[in-house]
Amino acid sequence: ELFYRQLPKVELHAHLNGSVSVRTIDRLIGRKPHLNIQHSMTAIGKGQRRTLDECFQVFKVIHQLVDTEEDILMVSADHVIREFAADSVKYLELRSTPREEKNTGLTKKGYIETVIRAIQLCKDEGLDIDVRFLVAIDRRNGTQVAMETVALAEQFLLSSDGLVVGLDLSGDPTVGNGKALLPALERAKNCGLKMSLHLSEVQSQLEETDLLLNLPPNRIGHGTFLHPEVGGSQNLVDKVLKNSIPLELCLTSNVKGQTVPSYSQHHFKYWYQLGHPSVICTDDKGVFSTDLSQEYQLAASTFGLSHAAMWKLSQQAIDCIFAPETVKQQLRQKWTDLQPQLF
Ligand code: 5GP
């Protein structure tokens, strides 16, 4: 629907390598035919579902295809950022796990520098989208790597002209433990990195979630099992409410990844009814074959929300961004300028 395509939007939860579209994967496969990779291994089509575990296998395949600075630059600058911009996303926080690849000489520092270069290229070109970067910690890699990642993010927080704004904690929620990562996250907090943490994505994370909520994080990714109806607790919900921690909610991702049984049972409903800041996001638009317009439209049709309500939702997402107040003001002005074209 045109309304959702034209609606100015804020995307706060997008993993770089999960956002690579089928078209771009084609290009990458063409460049690396020896890997013998098929499309069915990288994207989950309409109506298809995978277990969360299978979703994480998909990322491994994409990582094989994106393993040089050249790949990262091409994927980010020529495709992912451009596609978000074409979908009327006006502000984007991309997140990605810096990877070292011994075979190609890719370093973690070079990885981050390349994403920053891609963002800068799009900016210089005058693309109508403000892009920032969150450095991701993959939880399965443990304490030491988390600490090193925070140190790297800290360097870039000071040297990237405001492009690196924070930190993400992601990776397979069934592996690793949050408690071991706490010192790294505390350090991140102390040096002024904003934090978005994947929390309660699966049901078994109650204790860890409770612990990490005490930081508290600046935003929560998914938070699928926070509320009592699905095995969370009122205590967890109260902590989220008390600190007014915005949630990043990804409908298609959760249904296709089977952590949520159906769209109508998505926890968007619970938090939206409470009037709690909830931001609709894509998670992995390539892997889950979606885009942000589709996610807005899906939320509207599933929960019976009007265009006016969806406008308000996209506008309120501005309050949740990690970039400074001046950027929020610019975005609010942009929304005000665009409103007459949509209503
Ligand atoms: P990258 O960090 O390589 O740009 O993007 C892919 C990575 O993002 C995955 O390897 C995984 O660590 C993380 N990721 C992507 N989608 C999800 C998700 O739905 N849940 C969690 N916990 N991590 C994810």
Side-chain angles (χ1 to χ4, degrees):
E1 200 185 320
L2 195 59
F3 175 82
Y4 294 105
R5 184 87 26 222
Q6 291 180 338
L7 179 69
K9 292 174 287 295
V10 166
E11 168 67 83
L12 299 182
H13 191 130
H15 299 271
L16 175 60
N17 285 294
S19 300
V20 182
S21 63
V22 170
R23 202 169 59 94
T24 314
I25 294 280
D26 261 337
R27 273 266 190 105
L28 292 162
I29 290 176
R31 278 161 54 152
K32 298 177 188 188
H34 57 280
L35 290 175
N36 218 359
I37 288 168
Q38 274 96 47
H39 273 304
S40 55
M41 298 158 74
T42 63
I44 303 168
K46 206 171 154 57
Q48 290 182 344
R49 295 185 185 194
R50 304 277 173 91
T51 63
L52 202 58
D53 194 47
E54 287 167 330
C55 293
F56 283 99
Q57 298 302 322
V58 171
F59 297 122
K60 284 194 188 136
V61 176
I62 299 174
H63 286 160
Q64 284 184 278
L65 287 167
V66 183
D67 67 351
T68 67
E69 287 188 6
E70 194 191 349
D71 296 335
I72 296 164
L73 191 69
M74 186 271 273
V75 160
S76 314
D78 297 347
H79 297 265
V80 173
I81 294 175
R82 220 165 282 273
E83 286 157 2
F84 276 113
D87 193 29
S88 307
V89 172
K90 303 299 177 190
Y91 176 91
L92 162 67
E93 280 174 22
L94 263 184
R95 54 185 77 190
S96 195
T97 325
R99 240 181 315 131
E100 178 183 72
E101 295 284 354
K102 292 255 158 55
N103 292 334
T104 66
L106 181 66
T107 64
K108 292 186 180 184
K109 187 153 181 269
Y111 189 106
I112 301 175
E113 281 167 350
T114 308
V115 178
I116 292 174
R117 191 142 51 92
I119 296 172
Q120 198 65 52
L121 277 173
C122 292
K123 200 170 173 175
D124 294 345
E125 209 187 292
L127 224 55
D128 185 18
I129 183 169
D130 185 328
V131 187
R132 308 287 163 144
F133 187 53
L134 306 182
V135 179
I137 296 175
D138 186 335
R139 50 180 295 137
R140 99 193 105 190
N141 295 333
T143 312
Q144 183 64 27
V145 172
M147 218 31 133
E148 287 163 17
T149 309
V150 171
L152 258 180
E154 199 177 340
Q155 279 178 32
F156 282 100
L157 180 68
L158 302 171
S159 68
S160 65
D161 268 332
L163 295 184
V164 170
V165 287
L167 204 74
D168 153 81
L169 172 66
S170 55
D172 191 338
T174 63
V175 182
N177 94 59
K179 192 172 179 183
L181 305 174
L182 208 52
L185 298 175
E186 268 159 0
R187 171 166 173 188
K189 186 184 167 184
N190 290 335
C191 73
L193 286 160
K194 296 269 177 30
M195 266 185 293
S196 169
L197 309 181
H198 284 61
L199 286 187
S200 279
E201 221 179 334
V202 292
Q203 218 164 11
S204 58
Q205 292 178 292
L206 281 179
E207 213 174 307
E208 171 185 304
T209 301
D210 193 45
L211 200 67
L212 296 181
L213 277 176
N214 291 338
L215 280 163
N218 302 90
R219 291 198 311 252
I220 294 169
H222 304 301
T224 313
F225 294 95
L226 287 169
H227 57 294
E229 280 113 277
V230 287
S233 73
Q234 193 57 45
N235 167 50
L236 295 180
V237 171
D238 288 342
K239 283 191 183 185
V240 175
L241 295 177
K242 186 179 105 220
N243 292 304
S244 197
I245 312 172
L247 263 72
E248 303 153 358
L249 302 176
C250 314
L251 276 75
T252 299
S253 162
N254 295 158
V255 170
K256 285 192 172 177
Q258 297 183 13
T259 52
V260 169
S262 71
Y263 289 108
S264 61
Q265 291 173 80
H266 196 276
H267 48 295
F268 172 85
K269 187 174 177 187
Y270 179 89
W271 295 99
Y272 185 78
Q273 280 175 346
L274 284 176
H276 186 76
S278 307
V279 184
I280 293 177
C281 301
T282 54
D283 203 6
D284 301 285
K285 73 175 181 59
V287 169
F288 296 115
S289 314
T290 187
D291 59 29
L292 196 52
S293 315
Q294 273 193 59
E295 295 302 303
Y296 269 77
Q297 188 168 344
L298 192 57
S301 64
T302 305
F303 302 104
L305 302 176
S306 65
H307 282 179
M310 296 314 286
W311 171 273
K312 202 168 159 202
L313 210 51
S314 90
Q315 194 174 37
Q316 286 171 340
I318 298 171
D319 302 336
C320 307
I321 71 171
F322 285 169
E325 196 53 37
T326 49
V327 178
K328 292 183 185 172
Q329 296 296 358
Q330 287 162 14
L331 291 170
R332 289 188 187 113
Q333 186 59 51
K334 193 167 271 183
W335 261 242
T336 305
D337 294 344
L338 289 168
Q339 192 163 21
Q341 295 174 25
L342 273 107
F343 291 95

